[in-house]
Amino acid sequence: MWPSYDETKPPSLPLPVAYEKAMASLGQATNQYHCVRVSVSNALVRDGEWDFTFTTSTPTNGVPYYKYIEVYFDGTVKTNLQVIM
């Protein structure tokens, strides 16, 4: 494994660009989800990624439904990720 992300250097992909890509990946569901968390890490790719957590305001069976989206600094978007606890 590589060293953790160096938080002293700015991400090479600006947050507004990453957020736009994450929202675009939601497609028509953008009206159903809202962002509740975003952070920078390099857990999945060495160069770094933006980690987005979206939730729906209409929970299923009383439990909020979350969507996790990663936007790598090269612009690649990964959706439907499983969170590892």
Side-chain angles (χ1 to χ4, degrees), residues 53-72:
T53 302
F54 290 87
T55 189
T56 181
S57 58
T58 311
T60 304
N61 297 329
V63 178
Y65 181 72
Y66 294 98
K67 283 196 179 270
Y68 304 98
I69 299 174
E70 304 291 326
V71 181
Y72 302 160

Side-chain angles (χ1 to χ4, degrees), residues 6-71:
D6 179 2
E7 295 178 357
T8 63
K9 68 176 192 172
S12 59
L13 181 69
L15 176 57
V17 174
Y19 181 75
E20 183 178 321
K21 289 180 174 291
M23 291 298 290
S25 74
L26 288 173
Q28 292 184 357
T30 56
N31 292 330
Q32 298 169 4
Y33 289 89
H34 58 276
C35 185
V36 294
R37 181 180 174 279
V38 63
S39 63
V40 171
S41 74
N42 65 341
L44 299 177
V45 292
R46 184 180 191 119
D47 292 335
E49 73 265 352
W50 287 100
D51 309 309
F52 290 91
T53 302
F54 290 87
T55 189
T56 181
S57 58
T58 311
T60 304
N61 297 329
V63 178
Y65 181 72
Y66 294 98
K67 283 196 179 270
Y68 304 98
I69 299 174
E70 304 291 326
V71 181

